């Protein structure tokens, strides 16, 4: 099978669509895993947890959100020069910020309710809780308040971050496009590019990792802003610098091999197969740099392996993709609340964790299917969930994250 010889920014790239769908599909499995994994805190936890599950989840944990930002930036690069900046900013706001608000006030609410209920902090009664949840001056659960009381975006934190990064990229579109098309980048070997972007993440971890632990609150999350904001800009420039994209497709198997080696080293270290290195980590900066280098290379190689493999195998349309492109944002909005609700409900049945997890995934997927089916048929809900009805087909919708059609 032949690879694509050219990257064409004037035609739809189905591989980007497939990547986004696969990334969000993995997110559902990951959040189900969070219910069962040992030691990692989550909104509710199973009574039967697994330490070995950490090994599986670490396969995607270091790079899964970065891949989502990278893909979103790639999609934005396709359309950013097709619309006036003000119109594109309005589109981004309608398709990201509006669903965020609806999600916070309506869809996310059962998550903190069940979390508080499971910890014995409140009495049963969702509607009474919801009235306190949307009240920024509530006195309920004050120790769990954020900047706006109990109101939270939980798993929807990706939307405000993507919204902000998109607006910044739109404002800076001219210098970004000029930089992507510059002679400097045209003459830069991919190896140099890869080492530079790996170094940025290493420096960010050293300078900001301990000072700004992850909050996902948008305001005080500077380590993640540098990480994900940088990944977003790299994805945008990478897409316009087509030579690199084609290189990644051509060398996809090498990226996958390096990523698997790095992942193997990370798992081996977690199981204390390198005790001398682990003991020297806090005493020697050179050892810390080595660790950070492996983690950074692991991060980028998984992203480039995914982009390369998708570019080679998945740049083609399908009926499944047409549905998924439209459904992905409502599914994303619904999935974690459904997982939390069903996990809490199933807990009382004392089902074996292996069987229960299959039921939990099935219930979540089925409810996402039904939920999206209802959302797309009710215009106010469709608008609130970022869907844009097609003029040609009332039940067809435009995806909220990308608009790669002309």
């Amino acid at each position: 099978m032949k690879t694509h010889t050219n990257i064409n920014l004037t035609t739809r790239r189905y591989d980007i669509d497939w990547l986004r769908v696969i990334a969000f599909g993995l997110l559902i499995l990951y959040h189900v895993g969070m219910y069962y994994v040992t030691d990692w805190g989550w909104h509710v936890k199973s009574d039967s947890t697994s330490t070995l599950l950490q090994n599986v989840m670490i396969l995607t944990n270091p790079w899964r959100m970065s891949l989502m930002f990278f893909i979103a930036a790639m999609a934005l690069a396709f359309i950013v020069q097709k619309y006036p900046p003000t119109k594109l900013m309005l589109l981004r706001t309608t398709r990201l910020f509006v669903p965020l608000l609806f999600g916070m006030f309506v869809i996310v609410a059962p998550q903190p309710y069940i979390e508080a209920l499971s910890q014995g902090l409140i009495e049963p009664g969702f509607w009474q809780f919801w009235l306190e949840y949307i009240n920024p001056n509530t006195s309920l659960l004050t120790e769990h308040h954020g900047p706006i009381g109990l109101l939270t975006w939980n798993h929807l934190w990706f939307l405000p971050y993507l919204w902000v990064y998109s607006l910044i990229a739109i404002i800076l579109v001219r210098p970004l496009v000029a930089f992507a098309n510059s002679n400097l980048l045209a003459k830069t070997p991919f190896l140099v590019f890869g080492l530079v972007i790996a170094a940025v993440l290493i420096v960010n971890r050293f300078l900001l990792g301990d000072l700004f632990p992850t909050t996902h609150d948008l305001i005080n999350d500077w380590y993640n802003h540098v990480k994900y904001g940088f990944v977003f800009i790299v994805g945008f420039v990478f897409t316009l610098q087509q030579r690199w994209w084609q290189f990644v497709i051509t060398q996809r198997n090498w990226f996958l091999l390096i990523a698997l080696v790095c992942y193997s080293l990370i798992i081996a270290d977690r199981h204390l197969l390198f005790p001398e290195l682990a003991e020297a980590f806090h005493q020697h900066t050179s050892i810390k740099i080595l660790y950070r280098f492996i983690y950074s290379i692991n991060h980028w190689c998984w992203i480039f392996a995914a982009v390369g493999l998708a570019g080679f195998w998945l740049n083609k349309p399908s009926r499944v993709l047409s549905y998924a492109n439209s459904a992905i944002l409502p599914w994303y909005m619904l999935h974690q609340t459904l997982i939390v609700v069903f996990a809490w409900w199933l807990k009382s049945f004392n089902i074996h964790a292996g069987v229960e997890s299959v039921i939990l995934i099935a219930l979540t997927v089925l409810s996402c299917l039904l939920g999206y089916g209802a959302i797309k048929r009710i215009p106010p809900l469709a608008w609130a969930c970022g869907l844009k009805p097609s003029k040609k087909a009332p039940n067809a919708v435009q995806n909220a994250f990308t608009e790669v059609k002309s």
Side-chain angles (χ1 to χ4, degrees), residues 16 44 110 133 168 258 277 327:
I16 298 178
V44 289
Y133 169 77
I168 293 173
I258 296 170
L277 288 176

Side-chain angles (χ1 to χ4, degrees), residues 57-127:
M57 296 176 69
I58 287 170
L59 177 65
T60 63
N61 178 279
W63 52 268
R64 60 188 179 84
M65 294 307 302
S66 289
L67 178 62
M68 290 166 66
F69 282 111
F70 195 91
I71 297 166
M74 294 181 75
L76 183 63
F78 270 84
I79 64 166
V80 73
Q81 297 181 77
K82 297 180 180 179
Y83 296 94
T86 52
K87 182 177 181 180
L88 190 54
M89 292 171 75
L90 180 61
L91 285 172
R92 294 294 88 186
T93 299
T94 302
R95 311 265 176 102
L96 295 174
F97 193 71
V98 171
L100 172 66
L101 291 178
F102 178 71
M104 289 173 65
F105 279 89
V106 179
I107 295 177
V108 167
Q111 295 182 41
Y113 169 71
I114 291 177
E115 183 175 358
L117 197 63
S118 69
Q119 297 173 14
L121 300 177
I122 59 173
E123 295 295 326
F126 176 73
W127 297 114

Side-chain angles (χ1 to χ4, degrees), residues 40 108 143 183 197 209 252 266 273 313 368 377 380 393 398:
W40 298 0
V108 167
E143 65 277 13
N183 289 330
I197 61 176
R252 63 198 177 279
I266 292 169
L273 295 185
W313 295 107
C368 283
R377 288 172 172 82
Q398 183 77 19

Side-chain angles (χ1 to χ4, degrees), residues 376 379 382-383 387-391 393-394 396-398:
K376 70 177 182 178
W383 177 79
L387 302 183
K388 181 182 178 182
S390 169
K391 295 180 180 179
V397 292
Q398 183 77 19

Side-chain angles (χ1 to χ4, degrees), residues 204-326:
N204 180 44
R205 182 66 184 85
F206 271 104
L207 296 182
L208 300 180
D210 294 329
L211 291 176
F212 296 96
T214 296
T215 63
H216 294 156
D217 66 359
L218 191 66
I219 305 300
N220 301 302
D221 207 15
W222 289 105
Y223 166 71
N224 277 329
H225 278 315
V226 173
K227 176 182 177 179
Y228 295 129
F230 179 68
V231 167
F232 188 84
I233 295 301
V234 170
F236 188 90
V237 172
F238 171 89
T239 306
L240 298 177
Q241 222 303 319
Q242 301 169 35
R243 180 174 58 91
W244 288 343
W245 192 353
Q246 184 56 54
F247 177 84
V248 164
I249 294 174
T250 303
Q251 304 299 328
R252 63 198 177 279
N253 292 330
W254 283 107
F255 285 110
L256 178 60
L257 176 62
I258 296 170
L260 288 170
V261 170
C262 289
Y263 166 70
S264 300
L265 292 173
I266 292 169
I267 295 300
D269 180 67
R270 285 181 60 85
H271 289 274
L272 303 178
L273 295 185
F274 309 118
E276 295 83 2
L277 288 176
E279 291 176 5
F281 179 81
H282 295 290
Q283 284 75 38
H284 300 282
T285 302
S286 59
I287 301 300
K288 284 188 177 181
I289 293 174
L290 174 63
Y291 272 75
R292 302 305 181 204
F293 179 76
I294 292 172
Y295 272 84
S296 186
I297 295 299
N298 176 75
H299 172 275
W300 285 114
C301 280
W302 278 113
I303 291 175
F304 291 134
V307 171
L309 289 167
F312 186 83
W313 295 107
L314 299 178
N315 190 23
K316 50 191 175 183
S318 80
R319 291 184 178 180
V320 172
L321 183 61
S322 296
Y323 168 86
N325 263 341
S326 301

